[in-house]
Amino acid sequence: MAVDEDAIPNSSQVSQLASLMREDNKLAVWLMAGLGLRVSEALGFSIESVRGSIVRLRHQLYRYASREDYGKYLVKLKHRKEGEYRDIPLPNRVANQIDQHVDKFGSIEVEGQHLLFSGAASSAAPVLTLAGMTERWKSRVRAVGMDFTPHDLRHYYASQQLAGGANIHEVSRWLGHKSIQVTVDVYGHLTEDAGERGRAIMDAVLPVTC
């Protein structure tokens, strides 16, 4: 379904969402809003993912990582085979947020990767899980009456890229969609100049007596 553009947070609201989070979780907001990551991809983000001016994602956090019987925390990316990855341009502002987070909170080594969000003391998992993130989001964001979900930050990323003139094929690749058709169906109506092009085309062909 096409995303409702009225339900996408603006830049000011993204900043407000980050301010509502715990200090050690604020970076997750910037990873989702600034890189278009899924929640599980943000929570599975590692220092090793940063490669100069790009982010190379190879894994995401397992949805049920809090289950003690699973024995593994990182899994392949959605819509990708084991070992496949996707590259995303790394904005300088997000890079700065990553550096500041690591300087202040360090990282947690899990399965050879240095992840950035630690779990609660009461959790069996050493890292922040989806369940933990959902709980913290509800207690801090929903508690003040904001209806946005973490996934809405991914919508923010896509809408800003397209409104700024980014090619929809590139945006689709950066988002990690299964196909370009998914991106077109969900975000195609958000391209900044689509309406103007449509008006110009019809004004050029319609009879003057119309």
Side-chain angles (χ1 to χ4, degrees):
M1 293 179 60
V3 65
D4 181 358
E5 56 190 301
D6 291 334
I8 301 174
N10 57 39
S11 296
S12 177
Q13 289 169 323
V14 169
S15 182
Q16 185 179 358
L17 289 168
S19 71
L20 290 170
M21 298 301 291
R22 282 177 33 161
E23 284 295 319
D24 57 343
N25 296 158
K26 291 182 187 295
L27 177 61
V29 172
W30 300 118
L31 293 177
M32 290 183 281
L35 295 172
L37 303 190
R38 298 177 175 92
V39 185
S40 56
E41 293 171 346
L43 296 181
F45 189 91
S46 68
I47 294 176
E48 289 79 8
S49 298
V50 178
R51 298 197 172 196
S53 61
I54 67 166
V55 161
R56 176 162 291 180
L57 284 188
R58 292 185 178 276
H59 52 255
Q60 63 187 49
L61 194 70
Y62 176 53
R63 183 176 182 82
Y64 303 107
S66 56
R67 286 176 43 177
E68 296 183 37
D69 61 337
Y70 184 67
K72 188 176 182 181
Y73 294 104
L74 300 176
V75 295
K76 67 180 182 64
L77 295 175
K78 187 176 182 179
H79 304 314
R80 296 293 185 273
K81 296 178 182 179
E82 191 68 47
E84 290 185 341
Y85 61 84
R86 80 174 191 267
D87 288 343
I88 308 167
L90 176 60
N92 290 330
R93 293 183 182 181
V94 177
N96 291 338
Q97 290 290 336
I98 294 171
D99 289 341
Q100 291 174 28
H101 178 95
V102 173
D103 287 344
K104 191 170 184 179
F105 302 106
S107 62
I108 307 95
E109 186 172 358
V110 174
E111 298 169 20
Q113 298 292 307
H114 292 84
L115 307 189
L116 303 180
F117 306 105
S118 58
S122 58
S123 172
V127 294
L128 181 60
T129 63
L130 282 169
M133 180 65 174
T134 299
E135 181 181 341
R136 293 180 186 184
W137 187 274
K138 287 181 177 179
S139 67
R140 290 174 173 265
V141 174
R142 292 297 179 88
V144 300
M146 295 187 76
D147 293 331
F148 298 116
T149 68
H151 195 76
D152 290 333
L153 296 169
R154 181 168 158 87
H155 292 327
Y156 167 83
Y157 173 85
S159 65
Q160 293 298 319
Q161 287 282 9
L162 292 171
N167 184 288
I168 196 167
H169 288 82
E170 295 291 346
V171 175
S172 181
R173 185 179 300 113
W174 298 335
L175 289 170
H177 279 162
K178 186 176 182 180
S179 70
I180 181 65
Q181 191 60 50
V182 174
T183 317
V184 171
D185 289 345
V186 178
Y187 300 112
H189 63 297
L190 298 180
T191 53
E192 184 179 41
D193 58 351
E196 184 57 39
R197 286 201 310 271
R199 283 188 290 273
I201 289 169
M202 296 314 298
D203 280 336
V205 299
L206 284 171
V208 294
T209 56
C210 177

